[in-house]
Amino acid sequence: MQNVLVKTLIKEEQIRLYFIDNTQLLRDIYALNQELPKPLNLLLGKTISAMSILSGTLKGNQRMSLQVTLSNPRHKIFAEAEANGNVRGYLNEELLRFSNIEEKSMQDLIGPSGMIRVIKGSEMNQFTSITDMPNQHITDDIANYFVQSDQTPTYLYSDIQLDNGASLLSSHALYAQLLPGAPSQLLSEVKMIVKANPDIFSKLNAEEASDSEEALTQFFGDAKIIGHSSSQFFCGCSKEMFYGMLYSLSEEEIKRSIERNEDIETFCHICGKPTRLSKRRCSNSSNFEFLVFSW
């Protein structure tokens, strides 16, 4: 059941636990970011994996935007999830150009002063929180965001398997959160069970919902499946959004392009889709305007 998010209640309905096989989602993301070194594949993969399962916590038209700023403030990771399961994310150019990265661990890349900024809510009602990254670990520190900003004990786990060539073999994620009034030690029990059972995802992500529920009961003692949702890569870029790029160019750059009869080529930094801005003469005018004609 790839990209199907399973929502459950465990421990006498005191913990909500979600899990997902998001292998196909990450394959779609990695296909747009070919030949990334393994450390960057893990950074991007774990961020996207976490956001895919957190999409299941959103309702209506809510969305969650995440910006991870590493200790080098020029190095950033961006990701966004919507309540309908749409997920997208990318690494900024400065991080992609970082040298000698093959020898770096995730802890090295994040460093001691990383920060996470989360914007969550609907268009008319958004909340922004900024938290530090004491664990120097993507999923542990996103879970720490819930502890710091919402005072809600949360466990977030992402298991990404890459081969020696940094190609994706599999990806799974799990999210567990205490419900009001639940004793805090229950979350520690969930963590211990997950870490002690490396085959847990192969059993949870069964073809039949009844098999998943049986596996949940086997691991956690009791369980109830309460719903399913999907998670998928979706960029959402459009022709219109590229018009805004012209405002970032100086008047001199635009004039030079017109004089040389050159097109302005650009691409979406999320999905890599190319587009071209070309000039044409407006009717009854000596002025030029730019428009998107290649898509």
Side-chain angles (χ1 to χ4, degrees):
M1 294 196 299
Q2 287 192 1
N3 290 1
V4 176
L5 193 155
V6 184
K7 303 179 180 182
T8 78
L9 295 174
I10 62 170
K11 298 292 183 182
E12 299 179 346
E13 302 188 6
Q14 296 182 90
I15 292 180
R16 59 173 176 171
L17 183 143
Y18 299 170
F19 59 90
I20 188 172
D21 176 348
N22 50 26
T23 304
Q24 187 56 52
L25 168 62
L26 257 65
R27 282 192 178 129
D28 293 339
I29 296 286
Y30 284 170
L32 302 170
N33 297 269
Q34 296 179 7
E35 299 181 3
L36 284 182
K38 190 171 184 177
L40 291 186
N41 262 341
L42 283 174
L43 270 181
L44 180 61
K46 285 188 174 289
T47 304
I48 295 293
S49 184
M51 293 299 279
S52 75
I53 202 162
L54 290 175
S55 69
T57 68
L58 305 175
K59 300 177 181 179
N61 62 351
Q62 288 183 333
R63 66 176 56 192
M64 181 176 178
S65 297
L66 183 78
Q67 176 184 300
V68 179
T69 302
L70 310 186
S71 288
N72 182 334
R74 296 192 301 274
H75 296 164
K76 300 179 188 295
I77 309 166
F78 298 92
E80 188 173 72
E82 300 175 359
N84 60 9
N86 288 339
V87 179
R88 48 196 161 269
Y90 63 98
L91 309 173
N92 75 341
E93 289 294 326
E94 287 78 4
L95 182 53
L96 289 172
R97 291 197 297 264
F98 189 42
S99 60
N100 300 321
I101 205 164
E102 289 83 358
E103 297 146 10
K104 303 285 186 181
S105 67
M106 181 185 300
Q107 189 174 25
D108 291 334
L109 288 171
I110 293 172
S113 55
M115 301 291 290
I116 292 177
R117 185 184 71 178
V118 175
I119 302 174
K120 185 179 177 183
S122 60
E123 228 175 84
M124 304 298 294
N125 191 21
Q126 293 185 342
F127 299 92
T128 301
S129 301
I130 298 176
T131 59
D132 56 7
M133 300 183 72
N135 304 291
Q136 295 175 234
H137 189 280
I138 289 292
T139 48
D140 289 349
D141 285 317
I142 295 175
N144 180 63
Y145 150 77
F146 288 98
V147 176
Q148 290 195 31
S149 66
D150 298 352
Q151 286 75 56
T152 308
T154 301
Y155 173 51
L156 192 59
Y157 179 75
S158 169
D159 178 47
I160 295 177
Q161 298 296 322
L162 304 174
D163 65 16
N164 292 333
S167 295
L168 180 67
L169 298 174
S170 65
S171 174
H172 301 85
L174 181 144
Y175 158 89
Q177 191 172 68
L178 288 182
L179 294 175
S184 58
Q185 72 267 17
L186 289 182
L187 202 60
S188 297
E189 292 177 17
V190 171
K191 294 179 186 179
M192 290 175 61
I193 291 168
V194 172
K195 291 180 178 178
N197 292 278
D199 63 339
I200 188 169
F201 287 111
S202 63
K203 294 184 177 180
L204 289 182
N205 289 282
E207 290 298 325
E208 299 292 334
S210 58
D211 293 339
S212 294
E213 197 164 90
E214 184 179 336
L216 281 163
T217 302
Q218 175 188 336
F219 288 117
F220 301 108
D222 65 279
K224 177 182 178 183
I225 293 179
I226 57 173
H228 298 80
S229 60
S230 64
S231 185
Q232 58 283 324
F233 169 71
F234 178 75
C235 176
C237 64
S238 64
K239 295 179 181 180
E240 289 72 24
M241 98 177 192
F242 286 101
Y243 287 117
M245 190 274 291
L246 289 174
Y247 290 100
S248 67
L249 301 177
S250 67
E251 184 178 347
E252 184 176 313
E253 288 176 302
I254 294 176
K255 284 183 177 178
R256 184 167 59 247
S257 179
I258 291 172
E259 290 168 358
R260 295 178 179 178
N261 199 31
E262 294 176 340
D263 296 338
I264 298 175
E265 294 186 356
T266 186
F267 65 95
C268 174
H269 54 256
I270 298 174
C271 69
K273 185 180 291 184
T275 193
R276 184 178 296 164
L277 302 169
S278 178
K279 63 181 177 58
R280 72 172 182 186
R281 190 179 298 277
C282 301
S283 58
N284 303 321
S285 172
S286 61
N287 296 324
F288 287 93
E289 65 175 5
F290 279 88
L291 74 158
V292 176
F293 77 87
S294 178
W295 184 249

